[in-house]
Amino acid sequence: MTAVAISTPGGPQVLKPEQRDVPRPEAGEILIQVKAAGVNRPDVLQRKGAYPAPPGASDLPGLEVAGVVAAVGEGVTRWNVDDRVCALTPGGGYAEYAIVHGTNALPLPQGFTFSEAAALPETFFTVWHNVFERGGLKSGETLLVHGGTSGIGTTAIQLGKAFGARVIVTAGTPEKCEACEKLGADRAINYRTEDFVAVVKEVTGGKGANVILDMVGGDYVARNYSAASVEGRIVQIATMGGAVASADFSRLMLKRLVHTGSTLRPRPVEVKAGIAAGLEAQVWPLLATRRIAPVMDMIFPLREAWRAHERMEEGDHIGKIVLDVA
Ligand SMILES: NC(=O)c1ccc[n+]([C@@H]2O[C@H](COP(=O)([O-])OP(=O)(O)OC[C@H]3O[C@@H](n4cnc5c(N)ncnc54)[C@H](OP(=O)(O)O)[C@@H]3O)[C@@H](O)[C@H]2O)c1
């Protein structure tokens, strides 16, 4: 099969097509003939050598795919050959065939193209787990999302609104802010020209945000403590602005804040299966009616994965970048 591998750590050009053997599914796993694969920021970090594949995972990049089941391993009862699925992969998505655990796959939502479906798993698993399971967002609460136009951000806006929250986001340009509000955000803050703490306070009548989804870290940590409500929950999913921070912990105590975080990729398949079950029950019906749909930025051929990474690193994209593998 054709796959795109990281020939050596470095810039986008190190992503090179090569020939590999088609992998074989072990017990509990399925082999997917990949039609489309999603591109995520963690793939960029892996390409640079900063985010190694967990033990046992493919060395190829690619955390999500959509395609057709080509073979099933022993003990898999849910899926049959020719079923159309999308799935979270522990790696190996940039290829014509990928292995996933059967419990980490979901049916292709009704009416979705493979490209649209490939744009779902990584951000939907991440947002569902961190905003709802970990952050405990409830209807009527306020959610603050940093990086509103990222793949993660565009998913968080839609899920937050669908489940009855007020959603405030931050983004770096007026165009990005406009895109977030078009998608349903109640208020988009241009963090280059406005202070997000002041705006969150103003929009919430001084109360602050109940849940904050943060991918920035660094000096945002102290500011998140200021922007959070009493009993607020701050969920860290990345530290693009720095992994080390100094903050006034008296705010954390006085407001009884919870500051937590997680990374999806190294979690056991059973945990991911639990997240998949929650998504299938509560979010897949919303996809079937297209009340929610991934925001598609650009699609590149698999062999030109380097262009997809270039686009992501330029930072002008809004929503998801996908590789066409068919
Ligand atoms: N913990 C987990 O389980 C998990 C899972 C998936 C992804 N993630 C993380 O979540 C983040 C979003 O992922 P994604 O795939 O949605 O990425 P993406 O589409 O590339 O979005 C990254 C966004 O971050 C914003 N940003 C803020 N500070 C930045 C900086 N210093 N450098 C670059 N961008 C910056 C950019 O928006 P502006 O232009 O508006 O600043 C951009 O929209 C990534 O950091 C990724 O590693 C975590």
Side-chain angles (χ1 to χ4, degrees):
M1 66 172 185
T2 300
V4 168
I6 300 167
S7 52
T8 185
Q13 301 288 349
V14 305
L15 293 174
K16 298 247 163 68
E18 60 177 52
Q19 293 303 306
R20 293 262 179 120
D21 291 339
V22 174
R24 295 162 70 98
E26 307 266 332
E29 295 177 337
I30 58 175
L31 176 70
I32 298 176
Q33 184 186 7
V34 178
K35 301 288 188 185
V39 175
N40 293 280
R41 181 73 51 167
D43 307 348
V44 172
L45 298 179
Q46 183 178 347
R47 193 203 71 220
K48 289 177 172 168
Y51 193 52
S58 165
D59 63 313
L60 298 172
L63 299 174
E64 57 186 351
V65 297
V68 176
V69 176
V72 297
E74 203 187 312
V76 174
T77 51
R78 171 154 193 197
W79 305 112
N80 295 302
V81 170
D82 288 340
D83 282 348
R84 290 147 65 95
V85 294
C86 58
L88 194 67
T89 68
Y94 291 16
E96 288 178 320
Y97 290 88
I99 293 282
V100 305
H101 198 271
T103 58
N104 293 181
L106 286 158
L108 207 74
Q110 206 182 314
F112 269 51
T113 63
F114 285 117
S115 299
E116 288 174 323
L120 297 172
E122 177 69 9
T123 65
F124 276 69
F125 276 67
T126 301
V127 171
W128 186 253
H129 178 61
N130 289 290
V131 172
F132 294 92
E133 296 182 338
R134 206 159 265 286
L137 182 71
K138 294 189 255 321
S139 177
E141 289 192 325
T142 298
L143 169 66
L144 170 64
V145 179
H146 293 301
T149 54
S150 62
I152 295 281
T154 51
T155 302
I157 293 170
Q158 296 187 72
L159 286 179
K161 289 309 295 176
F163 287 90
R166 169 165 50 194
V167 179
I168 305 174
V169 303
T170 61
T173 65
E175 295 73 34
K176 287 186 170 187
C177 287
E178 196 186 323
C180 292
E181 288 184 353
K182 267 202 189 132
L183 198 55
D186 297 280
R187 174 74 154 87
I189 303 165
N190 182 341
Y191 64 79
R192 295 187 203 278
T193 56
E194 296 178 286
D195 170 18
F196 77 78
V197 177
V199 178
V200 168
K201 289 277 174 62
E202 183 195 307
V203 171
T204 57
K207 290 197 171 119
N210 304 95
V211 176
I212 301 178
L213 184 66
D214 184 29
M215 57 181 74
V216 180
D219 69 353
Y220 273 32
V221 172
R223 296 168 73 198
N224 286 338
Y225 287 6
S226 296
S229 70
V230 167
E231 306 275 2
R233 290 86 72 197
I234 299 157
V235 191
Q236 207 68 51
I237 55 162
T239 54
M240 286 188 290
V244 177
S246 131
D248 177 354
F249 289 107
S250 66
R251 287 219 169 84
L252 182 132
M253 294 185 290
L254 290 168
K255 290 186 180 175
R256 301 181 297 283
L257 302 177
V258 174
H259 188 175
T260 178
S262 71
T263 54
L264 182 63
R265 192 178 188 185
R267 306 294 299 283
V269 287
E270 299 77 27
V271 170
K272 294 172 182 168
I275 302 171
L279 281 170
E280 189 167 4
Q282 305 208 52
V283 176
W284 252 231
L286 303 175
L287 292 167
T289 60
R290 290 202 88 91
R291 173 141 180 234
I292 291 181
V295 175
M296 302 298 285
D297 180 71
M298 285 181 81
I299 301 174
F300 296 90
L302 172 66
R303 288 176 163 275
E304 295 174 22
W306 65 272
R307 288 179 59 207
H309 278 222
E310 236 176 35
R311 169 113 187 118
M312 181 162 270
E313 286 187 281
E314 280 161 10
D316 293 332
H317 64 290
I318 292 178
K320 293 286 300 191
I321 300 168
V322 169
L323 301 175
D324 183 7
V325 183

